[in-house]
Amino acid sequence: MAQKKAHEVDGWLNRPDDKIRIILFYGPDRGLVSERAKLLAGKTGLSPDDPFSVVRLDAAEIEQQPGRLVDEARMVPMFSDRRLVWVRNAGTHKALAEDVKVLAADPPRDAIILIEAGDLKKGAALRTMVEGAAAAMALPCYADEAKGVDAVIDQELQKAGMTITLEARQALRRSLGGDRLASRGEVEKLVLYAQGQTQITIEDVDLSIGDVAGLSVDEVVDAVLEGKLDVFDTSFSRLAASGNQIFPILSALMRQFQTLHAMRGQMEAKGQSASAAVAGARPPVFFSRRRTVENALQRWNTDGAARVLERLQNAVLQTRRRPELAEAITRHTLLAIALDRPRG
């Protein structure tokens, strides 16, 4: 089978097989798909700005013009020894899959086909065609885990000649991981903010990435989901003492349970597992929260999530009627949800 597991992709990219003519990058992390595709395109030695050597196509164009990809792949290069045909936004496009089938059966000698796709399920036509071809390679791209996030941090800091304290790295990790390009952009922003320094500290992370209140709200939400009463009490008290408004806490928990309600409904309708639902979530769930969300999905069914939403809506109404009691009402409501959570 012409495919690699997620943890094998970077190793393959370091030493790509010259015999491979069709490369498919796919997965839920579009930023990682794009970054890896650019890396491989750079290894061809062809200039991305040369229209005679590099042809860029959208999958929708191929869908409207069946055979277009085959024609481009068979075209004889004029000013180089080979051409790169770069296809983006691929998905369940039938014409693209058919063109890939033709090229997989008779691989082009003078062209490399590079395809960027979304999260293709096992059995999807395009993925099946590539995985079954000798001259093709399917490379999955999933959201960064801790090791991948650390690699992004280290790459950007090394380029800037900077180091980072352990506390700052841990705080930075919590803000990254959903999308490779977004993560890299956040680290680049941090490096720019700390320009002129040799080491990045926790204060730099808080001020640059740093929505400290936002992180604290996430701590409260996760403590409620996990039933961690001591963590909830500490995080909630810290937020209240800092002078932050209380409503964002209720709002954040409502958004979380609306998401859980929708994801659980999808699980029940399609027979999905909690991990599959989290992996396919849009927007993606940050890697550091995945286990928490998966556990919550296993505990709360759609009816349970709906009851929590009703309780939260009632709390919002009460805080508007009695704003002077907003903190007490919110604390009592969230504590009750944490205590009443299903035991799995």
Side-chain angles (χ1 to χ4, degrees):
M1 298 289 283
Q3 58 179 310
K4 294 292 181 182
K5 295 180 179 179
H7 69 274
E8 299 174 325
V9 175
D10 286 328
W12 189 88
L13 287 173
N14 287 333
R15 300 182 64 183
D17 187 344
D18 290 338
K19 297 177 183 178
I20 299 299
R21 286 289 174 263
I22 304 171
I23 304 100
L24 168 66
F25 291 97
Y26 71 92
D29 190 338
R30 292 298 188 106
L32 184 55
V33 167
S34 177
E35 183 171 279
R36 283 173 166 168
K38 288 178 182 177
L39 175 63
L40 187 62
K43 289 180 176 291
T44 66
L46 300 172
S47 171
D49 300 320
D50 182 355
F52 295 102
S53 300
V54 179
V55 178
R56 301 176 188 271
L57 299 173
D58 192 277
E61 296 178 61
I62 299 171
E63 195 69 11
Q64 294 172 358
Q65 305 173 55
R68 172 77 182 279
L69 180 60
V70 175
D71 291 341
E72 293 288 354
R74 301 289 189 221
M75 192 173 295
V76 178
M78 296 178 61
F79 304 108
S80 60
D81 59 347
R82 56 183 172 174
R83 300 170 77 239
L84 173 65
V85 184
W86 197 338
V87 181
R88 288 186 167 135
N89 300 315
T92 57
H93 298 86
K94 293 182 179 179
L96 173 59
E98 287 300 316
D99 277 11
V100 169
K101 181 179 180 180
V102 172
L103 293 172
D106 184 14
R109 290 176 296 176
D110 304 322
I112 297 172
I113 314 300
L114 179 56
I115 305 172
E116 294 183 35
D119 191 13
L120 300 175
K121 304 301 180 185
K122 189 173 181 62
L126 177 59
R127 181 176 164 183
T128 299
M129 296 300 176
V130 173
E131 289 178 347
M137 180 61 66
L139 302 171
C141 302
Y142 294 104
D144 286 322
E145 301 294 343
K147 183 178 179 181
V149 170
D150 276 326
V152 171
I153 294 172
D154 290 338
Q155 288 165 7
E156 294 304 317
L157 293 185
Q158 186 176 17
K159 285 193 293 186
M162 292 181 176
T163 60
I164 186 169
T165 67
L166 177 60
E167 187 181 18
R169 180 184 289 272
Q170 291 171 341
L172 181 56
R173 273 202 210 109
R174 290 197 295 269
S175 300
L176 308 177
D179 178 276
R180 173 64 70 89
L181 290 185
S183 294
R184 194 175 294 279
E186 288 298 311
V187 181
E188 289 173 346
K189 183 174 70 174
L190 174 61
V191 167
L192 182 62
Y193 172 81
Q195 194 168 20
Q197 301 175 198
T198 58
Q199 186 175 65
I200 290 173
T201 66
I202 182 64
E203 289 78 15
D204 297 322
V205 175
D206 286 345
L207 292 171
S208 175
I209 307 296
D211 180 359
V212 178
L215 291 176
S216 300
V217 168
D218 284 345
E219 289 176 5
V220 172
V221 170
D222 288 352
V224 171
L225 293 180
E226 296 171 345
K228 294 181 177 178
L229 304 185
D230 53 341
V231 176
F232 166 76
D233 185 64
T234 300
S235 300
F236 187 91
S237 298
R238 185 171 65 244
L239 266 179
S242 67
N244 286 291
Q245 294 291 320
I246 294 300
F247 176 72
I249 303 176
L250 286 170
S251 179
L253 203 61
M254 287 181 69
R255 288 195 302 272
Q256 180 65 79
F257 272 91
Q258 286 166 349
T259 300
L260 289 175
H261 186 271
M263 292 170 70
R264 181 65 192 224
Q266 185 176 7
M267 285 172 57
E268 294 171 1
K270 298 183 177 181
Q272 281 187 325
S273 65
S275 59
V278 170
R282 292 293 179 275
V285 178
F286 282 145
F287 76 95
S288 60
R289 299 190 66 242
R290 285 184 192 166
R291 183 59 60 83
T292 297
V293 176
E294 286 178 14
N295 289 339
L297 281 170
Q298 291 169 345
R299 291 177 181 276
W300 272 284
N301 58 23
T302 51
D303 290 340
R307 285 194 296 271
V308 172
L309 284 169
E310 185 177 357
R311 179 179 280 183
L312 290 169
Q313 289 164 356
N314 184 53
V316 170
L317 180 61
Q318 291 183 51
T319 59
R320 289 175 177 172
R321 288 175 175 171
R322 301 291 302 275
E324 72 278 11
L325 297 177
E327 180 182 335
I329 292 169
T330 302
R331 182 189 290 271
H332 179 270
T333 301
L334 270 56
L335 186 59
I337 293 171
L339 285 169
D340 294 345
R341 75 189 187 113
R343 298 304 173 186

